[in-house]
Amino acid sequence: MGKLVHLSLVEVLKGLRGFDFSAQELIESHIEQSKANRALNAYITENFENALEAAKISDARLKSGTARALEGVPIAVKDNFCTRSLRTTCASKMLQDFVPTYDSFVITKLKDAGAIIIGKANMDEFAMGSSNSTSYFGPAFNPWGKGLVPGGSSGGSAAAVAAHMAVAALGTDTGGSVRQPAAFTGTVGIKPSYGRTSRWGIVPLASSLDQAGVIARSVADVAIVLSSIMGFDPMDSTSRNVQTDYDLQAEVQKPVKGMRVGVPSSLMQNVDQDVISMWQNSITALRDQGVEIEEVEIPCVNEALAVYQVISSSEASSNLSRFDGVRYGWRSCNYSSFEDMVCASRSEGFGQEVQRRILTGTYLLSAGFIDEYYVRAQKIRNLIHQGFAKLFQNLNAILLPTAPTTAFSIDGITENPVDMYKNDVFTVLANLGGLPAISIPITLSNGLPLGMQLMSRMYGENELLRLAGSLERACPFVGRDAY
Amino acid sequence: MSILNSEIEKLFELSKIKLDQKAIPEVARKLSFVLELVDQIRKVDCSNVQPLAVLVEKSDSIREDEPLKISSKEDLFANLPASEREYAIALGYYRVPNVMSE
């Protein structure tokens, strides 16, 4: 057996149950790996001591035959999930000292499954970004190359998994924040259907789009973690009590012959040649396994990014109004009145991109504009939603790239914020439609990973994982075991 | 799409963010980039379409409108600045500067 940090989750679970190694040894090896990779800045808060304590409990349960689904598995958690007694900063000065008194629902499920939080992962401030460059705690970096961004906003989660600092990680995905960093780091990232995982206890960005997701190093691994964290939560009014009679991990191995996948060719303009080649090779790989490929048109696809920006900025500005310096979060020391205290606290506590999105959202929601922008965007969202419903009457999934490029240099970030937003052009569709979607690493372009994306019908995680498993087997990806 | 300086000032006021007058040109420029993007939605004809606010058609978790005891006072005030915490726990409310000005 090689280094413990190189094992997949499937192998880890088998090894722990077979007593090939202990949970303590597993955690120790991941702590060592995390310390060796501190230059990546993947964790805002390390949780090593608590993780070692938790490993003792896991080892006891393994020995007594009462091990749970994720017993002893070191998992990184994006720093926007509330974790009881463990600092939750959202990568913002606003919450730099915020210590939740409760666990978010997803974290409760993760802990109940026996998983061990090894660190709170770096991210773009309040999940606003696609490069993890807006974190108050400094940027996270991509283990694939010096100075490269890991993508965002769940950049620290992806970097930690890619660099083998954790077996898997939790992220959140509002417009691609799990899938794009997965693509940039050669990992697998899944965003489930809206309503599949509870949003309760996750610091919100845009409530009608946000969903918790998983990053790991294989399709089977994300399926296992997702199975443990999804499920109905009465504390989230958008959580759905959808019965599932399938085993997600088993779906990954099932044949795909006769399944139907749509390909939106018209979207492939102005995309890197290597991205187009990957897409074409993926189509061939699926076809070779008996999948029927069909040309599709996604309605309002050219306006989707704009629709997403209107909805996400508007909802973010509304959500972030809760930060007033009164009940929690940064409170300025310099103020002369109540109004002044609120303004000073927000000005000092929020970074530039967060302020810009609040201003944008406030503009779009202001009197005279709300019908023209937010309500109009919701109408187009309905057209997109209806369009997907129609497409999925005859399709099992839609295949498209995850991101238009490979990971870029942090020095290459321009002053035009829209250039950054364009990273999400392929991923926002699933959020607008509430669809489950997954990014799978397929190949390298100039030595950097490229990811392919599959989207399926709402609550169709089983079909999604079946096709993703098939694509993964057809296009085996060589990871960076050097880390 | 350009945005007027007076609109920028109003936006900062509505957003409860302090305005640095020197920053106005840069804020205006960057906001214009974003507004240029979002203006694309004006091209779509959606005159007979209903807005989609929530993807979940009906909630599975509407409970009776009854009070629940979820957090203790200590929990609610746990993230106040240290100087305020004890005061808030003792009195049971948050202390803020005068809300009404003279």
Side-chain angles (χ1 to χ4, degrees), chain A residues 57-79:
Chain A
I57 298 169
S58 290
D59 277 328
R61 290 188 79 118
L62 284 156
K63 275 183 197 138
S64 65
T66 55
R68 299 158 290 179
L70 296 173
E71 195 69 63
V73 177
I75 290 191
V77 171
K78 188 177 182 179
D79 210 16

Side-chain angles (χ1 to χ4, degrees), chain A residues 157-219:
Chain A
S157 298
V161 171
H164 298 256
M165 297 157 66
V167 176
L170 295 190
T172 54
D173 192 315
T174 303
S177 282
V178 159
R179 291 160 285 154
Q180 183 255 20
F184 275 18
T185 56
T187 54
V188 178
I190 188 167
K191 177 202 91 73
S193 312
Y194 188 80
R196 188 63 104 177
T197 53
S198 168
R199 295 180 298 106
W200 191 76
I202 299 172
V203 184
L205 168 55
S207 301
S208 76
L209 301 159
D210 294 345
Q211 197 65 190
V214 182
I215 295 171
R217 293 189 293 269
S218 77
V219 176

Side-chain angles (χ1 to χ4, degrees), chain A residues 40-45 76-83 87-93 95 119-141 149-160 169-174 177-178 180-181 201-206 210-211 215 320 323 351 353-354 357 410:
Chain A
L40 297 177
N41 203 21
Y43 295 143
I44 290 173
T45 306
V77 171
K78 188 177 182 179
D79 210 16
N80 58 351
F81 288 85
C82 280
T83 44
R87 186 169 75 135
T88 299
T89 70
C90 253
S92 180
K93 179 180 178 180
L95 290 174
K120 295 297 292 288
N122 206 344
M123 54 186 280
D124 280 295
E125 184 180 0
F126 281 102
M128 294 178 187
S130 307
S131 62
N132 209 137
S133 60
T134 67
S135 169
Y136 174 66
F137 298 90
F141 290 102
V149 304
S153 63
S154 311
S157 298
L170 295 190
T172 54
D173 192 315
T174 303
S177 282
V178 159
Q180 183 255 20
I202 299 172
V203 184
L205 168 55
D210 294 345
Q211 197 65 190
I215 295 171
L320 268 60
F323 295 99
E353 178 62 21
V354 175
R357 294 213 199 184
I410 194 160

Side-chain angles (χ1 to χ4, degrees), chain A residues 12 53 60 83 91 109 134 146 153 160 226-227 258 262 276 290 298 300 308 343 351 374 387 389 410 416 432 456:
Chain A
V12 159
E53 283 304 308
T83 44
K109 293 205 64 129
T134 67
K146 200 169 163 50
S153 63
L226 180 61
S227 303
I276 294 174
I298 299 170
C300 305
Y308 169 78
C343 291
Y374 188 64
I410 194 160
N416 183 348
L432 291 171
S456 200

